[in-house]
Amino acid sequence: MPSRPFPPRPHRHDVIICLCGLLGGALMWAAGLHNNPSFFGTPRWLGLIALFVISAAELLRRTAPLIGLGMGTAALAMDVVSGGLAATMLMYTDLIYASVIYSGPVAARRLPRICGLVTALATVVPLAVFRDPLALLAGAFVALLTLTPAWTGAVVRDHREEAAAARLEAERIALLAELDRREAVVSERARMARELHDMVANHLSAIAIHSTAALSLKDPAATDEALGVIRENSVRGLAEMRRLIGLLRDPEDVREPAATSTLDALDTLLEQARANARPGGQDIVLADRRPDGAAPLPAPVELAAYRVVQESLTNALKHAAPGRVDVTLAHRADGPLEVSVISPYADRSGPRAPGSGTGLIGMRERVTLLGGTLDAGPVTGPEGTVWRVLAALPLGDESPQRLS
């Protein structure tokens, strides 16, 4: 059989109030300091019992305020008819105040109204019965005893609730700020990972393929050519790494800011890719179908298109079989910029570099940030199966976010 939970212990402040009220009231009773004569021949010692009862009710002012108020009301009635002690009435005002502060929201709203009604009755009824303006003092006394502590408690409770709501709002704002900070850190780390991959992966892939070719081929001329390509890609990759590390260390102290990659630099990228593709036997062909004299594209769109072509050529260099690699740029009026890279899809017999799969993830993230779409995978056509990367990049205000 489960044991019953013990009632909560009274707060130490409530114990102090109880003891002080009990001691003060006992001294007043012993000294005969009563507020009024006893009514109906009630003995004075009932006031002492009322003092003990209302002092015990003070122990419940936080844990069970309404029960304490009920005990205090009965004790106050007993005290008034037996002569009345100031300590008893003072503790009763505290019980009303505590009931408004510590009880539930419904009772906290109703208690001031009930005290106002009692005050109105205590004002009107004696005046109607005795027809004497002095009877208004009864209403003033009841207001001082009940209505004043009830209103005070209501004001204090409102201030406490407003302060609690302000603290909750501050905590919510702090939590949202922390979530925004974490999201910004994650987004920045993803952007750094894309930039690092796009800048260095192409050079490292060429180094891996040409070093494998140099080890497998016995032709001195081919070995010298491969070593030249390896050295060139090593120097370029090292320069990119140094620039990126400089940006990470002190982004505000960049002596030579690097220009954002655009489609104007695509020819240089293709020449480098053709040199790196020789061991694999790929032939890279560019078809620029954009209209002449068209307005310049937004910088984020050009950067994303450049990175899509760069990463697609890197993947073709690592995985594509010998054959033709078609790079196509197309831009119809009021339409998105379309970037297409088609490479042979077959098992490769020559040297190849391992892939991690992060290249496709980075391309898809770049295109998604601009509100575009990207499809990458094998496609079967009249000439067989090929690997196609097709990106559609919206222009102008269609892009929901800027890509740095």
Side-chain angles (χ1 to χ4, degrees):
M1 181 177 180
S3 59
R4 295 181 180 179
F6 290 99
R9 297 178 59 183
H11 194 273
R12 61 187 184 91
H13 292 168
D14 301 341
V15 176
I16 294 175
I17 294 174
C18 169
L19 295 177
C20 292
L22 180 61
L23 179 61
L27 291 176
M28 289 181 181
W29 186 86
L33 300 178
H34 297 280
N35 300 328
N36 53 269
S38 61
F39 299 106
F40 313 114
T42 306
R44 294 284 188 181
W45 54 265
L46 285 179
L48 192 60
I49 295 177
L51 176 65
F52 277 97
V53 172
I54 201 168
S55 298
E58 287 284 7
L59 299 176
L60 304 176
R61 63 190 300 274
R62 295 175 193 262
T63 57
L66 296 181
I67 296 177
L69 180 60
M71 294 173 56
T73 302
L76 180 66
M78 187 186 303
D79 178 74
V80 170
V81 298
S82 63
L85 293 173
T88 302
M89 295 183 179
L90 185 62
M91 284 190 285
Y92 185 74
T93 61
D94 179 69
L95 289 176
I96 294 180
Y97 170 83
S99 297
V100 177
I101 290 290
Y102 300 114
S103 61
V106 176
R109 288 194 304 267
R110 291 179 178 177
L111 275 176
R113 301 173 185 173
I114 295 175
C115 292
L117 179 60
V118 171
T119 300
L121 293 176
T123 303
V124 173
V125 172
L127 183 62
V129 172
F130 297 103
R131 305 286 182 174
D132 188 351
L134 292 177
L136 295 175
L137 294 176
F141 175 76
V142 173
L144 185 64
L145 188 66
T146 60
L147 189 59
T148 301
W151 278 355
T152 303
V155 171
V156 174
R157 184 183 179 112
D158 290 341
H159 282 296
R160 288 185 179 183
E161 291 179 351
E162 291 176 1
R167 285 195 298 270
L168 290 176
E169 181 66 15
E171 293 175 0
R172 186 184 70 84
I173 293 175
L175 179 59
L176 291 178
E178 178 64 17
L179 293 177
D180 290 342
R181 186 192 67 81
R182 293 184 181 181
E183 184 178 356
V185 170
V186 172
S187 177
E188 183 64 14
R189 291 179 63 180
R191 188 188 70 84
M192 291 164 54
R194 287 195 302 269
E195 291 295 324
L196 181 62
H197 180 275
D198 293 341
M199 289 179 180
V200 182
N202 187 34
H203 301 297
L204 295 181
S205 299
I207 291 173
I209 291 176
H210 282 273
S211 61
T212 304
L215 292 174
S216 60
L217 299 176
K218 302 302 180 182
D219 186 0
T223 301
D224 292 340
E225 181 182 0
L227 292 177
V229 174
I230 290 173
R231 182 186 182 281
E232 180 182 359
N233 281 276
S234 300
V235 172
R236 291 181 178 177
L238 184 59
E240 295 285 358
M241 283 290 294
R242 285 175 176 171
R243 187 182 72 83
L244 188 58
I245 291 174
L247 288 173
L248 294 177
R249 284 182 174 176
D250 191 357
E252 297 182 357
D253 185 19
V254 183
R255 299 178 183 177
E256 297 180 0
T260 303
S261 300
T262 63
L263 294 178
D264 294 336
L266 203 57
D267 292 335
T268 304
L269 175 64
L270 294 179
E271 288 299 327
Q272 180 185 351
R274 291 187 183 104
N276 295 335
R278 288 173 187 171
Q282 290 97 3
D283 181 19
I284 301 175
V285 179
L286 172 64
D288 192 348
R289 299 175 182 172
R290 293 177 295 168
D292 296 335
L297 300 176
V301 175
E302 291 216 9
L303 175 60
Y306 181 90
R307 294 303 190 195
V308 168
V309 174
Q310 183 184 41
E311 180 58 30
S312 299
L313 293 179
T314 300
N315 290 338
L317 179 69
K318 292 191 294 185
H319 306 296
R324 176 169 169 168
V325 178
D326 292 311
V327 179
T328 305
L329 301 177
H331 179 208
R332 294 186 296 271
D334 299 330
L337 174 66
E338 294 184 355
V339 181
S340 174
V341 181
I342 299 176
S343 57
Y345 183 71
D347 292 335
R348 180 172 179 171
S349 58
R352 60 185 300 173
S356 61
T358 57
L360 288 176
I361 296 175
M363 284 193 295
R364 198 176 303 279
E365 288 178 350
R366 286 185 179 275
V367 174
T368 303
L369 285 173
L370 293 174
T373 59
L374 184 136
D375 294 324
V379 177
T380 303
E383 299 180 358
T385 302
V386 295
W387 183 272
R388 185 187 68 176
V389 176
L390 178 61
L393 302 171
L395 309 180
D397 296 335
E398 301 174 43
S399 304
Q401 301 183 36
R402 291 187 60 86
L403 184 62
S404 57

